[in-house]
Amino acid sequence: MKVITDERCAEYRQPSHPERPERILSTIQLLKRQTELPITWASPGAASEAVLVRAHSAEHLGRLDEPHDFDGDTPFFPRIANYARASVGAALTALQAARSGESVFSLMRPPGHHATRNRAMGFCYLSNIAIAVLEALATGTQRVAVFDFDVHHGNGTEAILLNQPGALFFSIHQFPCYPGTGGRNVGKNCFNYPVPPATPRGEYRHILTSALEQMLSFKPDLLAVSAGFDCYARDPLAQETLEQEDFYWLGQSLRAAGIPLFSLLEGGYSNDLPELIFAYLKGVEGK
Ligand SMILES: [Zn+2]
């Protein structure tokens, strides 16, 4: 398992904000301490302007340098544009690793799936996964599917990939919940699976299975996973019910598809996040 990270992504913080540096630092600690899963560590590559502007407007990229908060959840931080670019760079490195047949996970912040073409929101500044998908499509992959199991709807990914030839988007999320979108399918290629709050685990897994089956029926050449661990039963930001073993099962189920796969960390705010990520990685690796 290759894990792409850079401890510098822990350099910014807002006191009491749930998207905090410890999410990454404590996961690195657990992954370094464990002995079950051999891990190769890698650093994020670069993300060029040309790659970013496929997904974002020039105005948005400029706005990231202006020292004003984006919304109540999404503060401005000095150098946030650089941190966001490093997270994109990790997504691009993950894409390359998946194409070389490696198992790979990007363990970075900020997350990306709420950022739209023109707007930072929901703790997200740049759309890491949409940028990687557009890069894959621009460099020879025919059909790329995003599987977004974060408990929140991936509105930014959806907005950027909407009706994009070769791209497919599948999001399984609590509804109603932030950001309020994702109640139905949109366009030709965006499929949403809204799940009521407090849906029992077995039912939640059944819905995840349906989404996965529908995604595979399109025969994608590459899977890009927005891995959010806030559908966990004890996550403070949502009301769903999954347990640690369900993330192992998710990893295994994605691996079983037999398609090159890369995963990027999105949400997940409980103190158990390191264990949840570790369970998922073991599933993806088939351990
Ligand atoms: Zn989330």
Side-chain angles (χ1 to χ4, degrees), residues 215-242:
M215 179 175 77
L216 296 178
S217 74
F218 285 89
K219 305 210 175 308
D221 305 301
L222 178 67
L223 301 184
V225 181
S226 270
F229 297 83
D230 40 13
C231 40
Y232 178 52
R234 282 163 295 284
D235 194 276
L237 296 198
Q239 290 77 45
E240 293 301 355
T241 55
L242 295 190

Side-chain angles (χ1 to χ4, degrees), residues 23 111 113-114 122-124 148-154 177-179 227-231 235 237-238 266-269:
R23 299 176 64 234
H113 75 152
H114 295 307
F123 322 159
C124 300
D148 184 331
F149 67 77
D150 188 281
V151 81
H152 303 102
H153 179 233
C177 195
Y178 182 89
F229 297 83
D230 40 13
C231 40
D235 194 276
L237 296 198
E266 299 283 2
Y269 306 97

Side-chain angles (χ1 to χ4, degrees), residues 52 56 60-61 64 81 84-85 88 111-112 115 124-128 131:
L52 301 182
H56 294 285
H60 177 65
L61 297 177
L64 295 181
R85 277 184 188 230
V88 172
C124 300
Y125 301 84
L126 293 173
S127 182
N128 307 322
I131 292 166

Side-chain angles (χ1 to χ4, degrees), residues 49-129:
E49 198 79 8
V51 166
L52 301 182
V53 297
R54 289 200 196 102
H56 294 285
S57 66
E59 292 73 20
H60 177 65
L61 297 177
R63 170 70 179 86
L64 295 181
D65 292 318
E66 292 174 22
H68 311 288
D69 290 347
F70 299 89
D71 62 27
D73 294 328
T74 318
F76 173 82
F77 298 97
R79 293 174 46 81
I80 188 62
N82 296 54
Y83 296 120
R85 277 184 188 230
S87 201
V88 172
L92 297 170
T93 303
L95 163 63
Q96 284 170 1
R99 281 175 154 172
S100 316
E102 295 179 83
S103 308
V104 61
F105 185 78
S106 170
L107 178 61
M108 291 287 284
R109 61 194 282 266
H113 75 152
H114 295 307
T116 69
R117 184 170 293 277
N118 292 307
R119 191 174 165 207
M121 59 181 278
F123 322 159
C124 300
Y125 301 84
L126 293 173
S127 182
N128 307 322
I129 203 147

